[in-house]
Amino acid sequence: MGIRVELVPSDRQWSVMYEVEARRIRDTLGNEARLIEHVGSTSVPGLAAKPILDVVLAVIDSSAEAEYVPQLEVAGYEMKLREPDWYEHRLLTRAEPKVNLHVFSEGCEEIERMIVFRDRLRESESDRARYSRLKSDLASVEWASIQDYADAKSELVEAILAGD
């Protein structure tokens, strides 16, 4: 059986939930947390989303897991994915509230890309509408993995980032 993506209407509480998580991460990591940003669809008011907060965290060196992972695990996060070949990305998750914490090294270009995309969707009603339509269409499909769903959005994401 395939995976279906559940999209829910935008919820004003997502920004409040993000603030709580950002504070938890800052309190947990102190100066090791170089940047914390709410990204993904839950960060865009008015956009339907999977009910999971996406948070991007910059640390000094994301490959130096001993510097941050044990502390985040104590705070309720669980290591889910290591991608050393893709910007040394680490993914940790939290069950309550549901959070995907994307960890990169400070200055990583993927962080800027995520923030620029978020800001473009926040600022452009037409880009937000195009993205919303695509997400809705894709949510009606059964996927082998959630990554396949994400990959299916890539062409439009690139077009929006390019200003097309």
Side-chain angles (χ1 to χ4, degrees), residues 7 41 47-49 131-139 149 153:
L7 296 179
S41 294
L47 186 61
Y131 190 61
S132 179
R133 279 191 303 274
L134 177 62
K135 287 174 50 143
S136 180
D137 290 347
L138 295 177
Y149 165 77
K153 299 183 295 184

Side-chain angles (χ1 to χ4, degrees), residues 77-95:
Y77 284 89
E78 181 181 345
M79 175 62 78
K80 287 292 186 177
L81 179 66
R82 292 174 177 89
E83 293 183 293
D85 296 335
W86 188 65
Y87 304 109
E88 290 290 349
H89 174 245
R90 303 300 191 264
L91 174 67
L92 291 93
T93 62
R94 183 173 168 77

Side-chain angles (χ1 to χ4, degrees), residues 123-159:
E123 295 163 5
S124 171
E125 189 174 331
S126 63
D127 285 341
R128 191 170 50 255
R130 289 189 326 172
Y131 190 61
S132 179
R133 279 191 303 274
L134 177 62
K135 287 174 50 143
S136 180
D137 290 347
L138 295 177
S140 67
V141 175
E142 285 194 11
W143 299 95
S145 73
I146 199 70
Q147 187 59 50
D148 291 339
Y149 165 77
D151 290 345
K153 299 183 295 184
S154 295
E155 187 176 326
L156 181 58
V157 169
E158 293 305 322

Side-chain angles (χ1 to χ4, degrees), residues 3-146:
I3 296 169
R4 286 212 180 258
V5 174
E6 174 198 8
L7 296 179
V8 299
S10 182
D11 186 335
R12 292 181 189 182
Q13 287 301 305
W14 289 337
S15 62
V16 174
M17 293 164 61
Y18 162 72
E19 290 300 331
V20 171
E21 283 309 301
R23 191 173 321 111
R24 180 190 326 272
I25 294 164
R26 267 190 228 96
D27 290 349
T28 298
L29 295 180
N31 290 335
E32 183 66 27
R34 305 304 234 192
L35 174 135
I36 305 168
E37 289 281 340
H38 188 190
V39 295
S41 294
T42 60
S43 71
V44 180
L47 186 61
K50 297 185 307 294
I52 302 169
L53 298 179
D54 281 295
V55 177
V56 66
L57 167 66
V59 296
I60 295 168
D61 178 1
S62 58
S63 70
E65 293 180 17
E67 301 299 318
Y68 65 94
V69 171
Q71 298 93 315
L72 289 171
E73 288 175 336
V74 169
Y77 284 89
E78 181 181 345
M79 175 62 78
K80 287 292 186 177
L81 179 66
R82 292 174 177 89
E83 293 183 293
D85 296 335
W86 188 65
Y87 304 109
E88 290 290 349
H89 174 245
R90 303 300 191 264
L91 174 67
L92 291 93
T93 62
R94 183 173 168 77
E96 191 55 44
K98 290 183 179 179
V99 178
N100 286 336
L101 181 62
H102 302 274
V103 184
F104 297 97
S105 297
E106 185 175 29
C108 175
E109 65 190 70
E110 184 60 18
I111 295 170
E112 181 178 350
R113 187 176 174 284
M114 294 170 99
I115 293 169
V116 166
F117 184 68
R118 174 202 65 198
D119 291 348
R120 193 82 37 94
L121 292 180
R122 284 178 174 175
E123 295 163 5
S124 171
E125 189 174 331
S126 63
D127 285 341
R128 191 170 50 255
R130 289 189 326 172
Y131 190 61
S132 179
R133 279 191 303 274
L134 177 62
K135 287 174 50 143
S136 180
D137 290 347
L138 295 177
S140 67
V141 175
E142 285 194 11
W143 299 95
S145 73
I146 199 70

